[in-house]
Amino acid sequence: FGGTKIDTMAAPIDHTVSDEARMLASARPRGGFDFSLCGRNEVIRQAAAGATGTMPRAMKTGTTLAGAIFNGGIVLGADTRATEGTVVADKNCEKIHYIAPNIYCCGAGTAADTEHTTALIASQLKLLQLNTGAGSRVVTAMTLLKRMLFRYQGHISAALILGGVDTTGAHLYTVWPHGSTSKLPYASMGSGSLAAMSVLESSYKEDMTEEECMEL
């Protein structure tokens, strides 16, 4: 710069690494695959297999709905798991839906379809009750459900067990997504219905007490 000489001095660089820095570098996770859990998995496999030499298999039953009539009323039951493929989306899903004070409905299939279908029928049944001044009947709720589902030709994924008690007694119906219905003393629906039906068919009897029906 105009013949002016500039003296530059480089500061000395300290290449020593502290013990704390070494510890942080060693604790930092490195890239690649980690097989450290393979030994743990082998220990668990041997312990779980035991004398049989085979690992226990997980049981998957899917949605299980059940209903049964006893002497003077009905009992409805359902699980609470909602899934999206292999993912448990909701561990506390309500599958027993309110229709009227004396009528409830268990739903299997698409959770949104069952909730909105039962809510719509509950609204229609309430309007009918206000117009007529009479109590809600189970057969009326069943008719409203089957007519709505038949209109959509199975595109609403709602498989239902409808149960209630009215002036004519206790009633239990199954309502399929296409609109077909059956009146039964006991019923099960859902992808886990076969396991439930085997218990119902072997143990159900007429004129059960409420305690016996709840135990079943």
Side-chain angles (χ1 to χ4, degrees):
F1 303 102
T4 304
K5 183 179 180 182
I6 301 176
D7 295 331
T8 58
M9 294 183 62
I13 300 176
D14 185 9
H15 292 284
T16 61
V17 181
S18 65
D19 294 338
E20 183 179 357
R22 287 194 183 94
M23 293 178 61
L24 290 174
S26 62
R28 185 181 301 127
R30 299 182 179 182
F33 294 103
D34 183 7
F35 297 99
S36 60
L37 295 180
C38 292
R40 184 209 65 165
N41 294 342
E42 181 62 22
V43 172
I44 294 176
R45 188 191 68 79
Q46 294 177 359
T52 61
T54 57
M55 282 285 287
R57 299 180 63 86
M59 298 296 292
K60 182 180 183 301
T61 58
T63 294
T64 306
L65 311 178
I69 294 178
F70 64 89
N71 187 14
I74 65 161
V75 172
L76 296 175
D79 69 299
T80 61
R81 173 179 289 183
T83 59
E84 295 178 6
T86 58
V87 177
V88 178
D90 189 355
K91 295 186 290 184
N92 193 27
C93 176
E94 292 187 4
K95 298 184 182 182
I96 303 181
H97 307 280
Y98 171 89
I99 300 293
N102 59 319
I103 305 171
Y104 280 81
C105 184
C106 299
T110 303
D113 287 352
T114 58
E115 288 183 10
H116 287 280
T117 298
T118 53
L120 178 61
I121 299 305
S123 175
Q124 294 178 356
L125 205 61
K126 181 62 177 179
L127 290 174
L128 182 63
Q129 186 262 327
L130 292 173
N131 287 328
T132 60
S136 300
R137 295 184 59 183
V138 184
V139 68
T140 306
M142 182 271 295
T143 304
L144 292 173
L145 279 169
K146 71 186 299 183
R147 286 179 177 176
M148 176 190 172
L149 292 174
F150 178 76
R151 189 182 308 126
Y152 288 92
Q153 292 292 297
H155 291 287
I156 295 179
S157 179
L160 310 170
I161 293 180
L162 179 71
V165 180
D166 55 27
T167 55
T168 60
H171 305 278
L172 188 68
Y173 295 92
T174 57
V175 185
W176 294 89
H178 287 82
S180 60
T181 60
S182 299
K183 185 177 183 181
L184 303 164
Y186 57 87
S188 67
M189 294 195 79
S191 53
S193 61
L194 294 178
M197 182 55 72
S198 65
V199 176
L200 291 170
E201 287 183 341
S202 62
S203 303
Y204 180 83
K205 58 184 179 181
E206 294 183 355
D207 296 326
M208 300 173 68
T209 65
E210 181 178 355
E211 291 74 17
E212 290 175 337
C213 196
M214 291 181 66
E215 180 65 23
L216 175 62

